Amino acid sequence: MISVESGKEYKTMVLGLDRIKKFLSDIGVDYNKIKYIHIAGTNGKGSAAKTISEILINSGYKTGLYTSPHLIKINERIQINSFPVTDNQLKSLDKKYSNISKKYKLTYFEYITALAFIYFVKNKVDIAVLETGLGGRLDATNIVTPLVSVITSIDFDHTEILGNTLKKIAFEKAGIIKKDVPVVCGNIKKEALAVIKKVAKEKNSKIFVYNKDFKAEHISYNWNKIAQEIRYCGLNKNLVTGFSLLGDSQVYNLATALAVCEILKKDLPEIKFSTVKKVCKNIKWPARFDYRKYKTDGKKCSFVIDGAHNIQAIDNFIALYKKSPFYKKGTKLVFAVMQEKDVKAVIKKLSKVFDNVSLLKVENSRAADTNVLKKEFSKYIDKKEIYTYDTVKQFFENIRNNDVYICLGSFYLAGTILKFIEETND
């Protein structure tokens, strides 16, 4: 099975489109025969991609979905009609193309992206929803001309690659905008939006903007069902629906996804808005305020698992968490983070909310050292309330009955916790 040491995917990333284009061309894969939706954004692109793909599936379209990173298995990244590529299918693709790909010096991400294109073409999907890996302009997914381009949000992340200002980051994300292809923008700050509008104008791309052309509002939460009710006021459609993903950020993501589907109706007339309520109510997208009950060896506790790993996502999580019933239960933080993130700022924010922290070592060469994190947390929290664990098993051996644990900081941590819960939960 395809594998790479966690962390190397990011470290070996070389942005550019020439290698993957040449590879796919030389092996005779005509990826342009498929229709696409292409989604970039600092946060929210995975949630929007999943929502759009589920609406398309429930409208009768054979739909590919390509997202990253994966939580537990790499198969999660490549799906058709919500079913991940199987181990045997992935092994077969890898066996056929692994040696050939080395000639083109594809990076790990480029190779997986190429396999996704091959898999979608081979299986004759009607449409594929693609999430960028990093940025947009030079991301390996940016070889397509989609029916709609989507930018969900712009904030600070991967600044060492994308730039250290919102304008620079917005320029990279706006690189997915293609000539005469409409673009839908989520809840984006004015400074970044101005850059996107400029690029859209240059490309003669009609732009649809959240809070101007479409909008949505949160109505209420149902904490027993872990759901919220949302009112959507769209380009032509208005509706009220339940949604199984929580928080204001998910209100924006849902509105963006629905606006995309309204625009798609011209090219995909079978899109059924009558399915939206059913789809939104039942969407499962792990590690997004993901509530899990855990029971083993007579102990019972709860986890809320979220992949929030940058300032915007952490702020969004904290705002939602403070509205939740878990906030009142003296919850404990489980934390890991990649070292290139704004670690000090993230820890300072979290220390205002949590006073008990478990720092977990995750198997990723980019992960910040737990002792370094402990030193930073100890500026704000009593050292006696900061614990470090070398393995996930060691952490779970020390959980306490009836406690609630909030897991934040990294999708790699989220995947580690989810995998252990799924394997050992009674």
Side-chain angles (χ1 to χ4, degrees), residues 35 43 58 124 182 184 200 224 255-256 300 309 358 382 402 412:
K35 298 181 176 74
N43 296 301
N58 279 269
K124 298 178 180 176
V184 177
N224 290 325
T256 303
K300 287 193 300 183
H309 57 275
S358 293
D382 187 341
N402 296 322
Y412 300 101

Side-chain angles (χ1 to χ4, degrees), residues 301-320:
C301 62
S302 302
F303 287 83
V304 177
I305 303 161
D306 198 289
H309 57 275
N310 54 52
I311 293 297
Q312 184 187 51
I314 292 289
D315 281 340
N316 291 340
F317 180 89
I318 289 172
L320 174 60

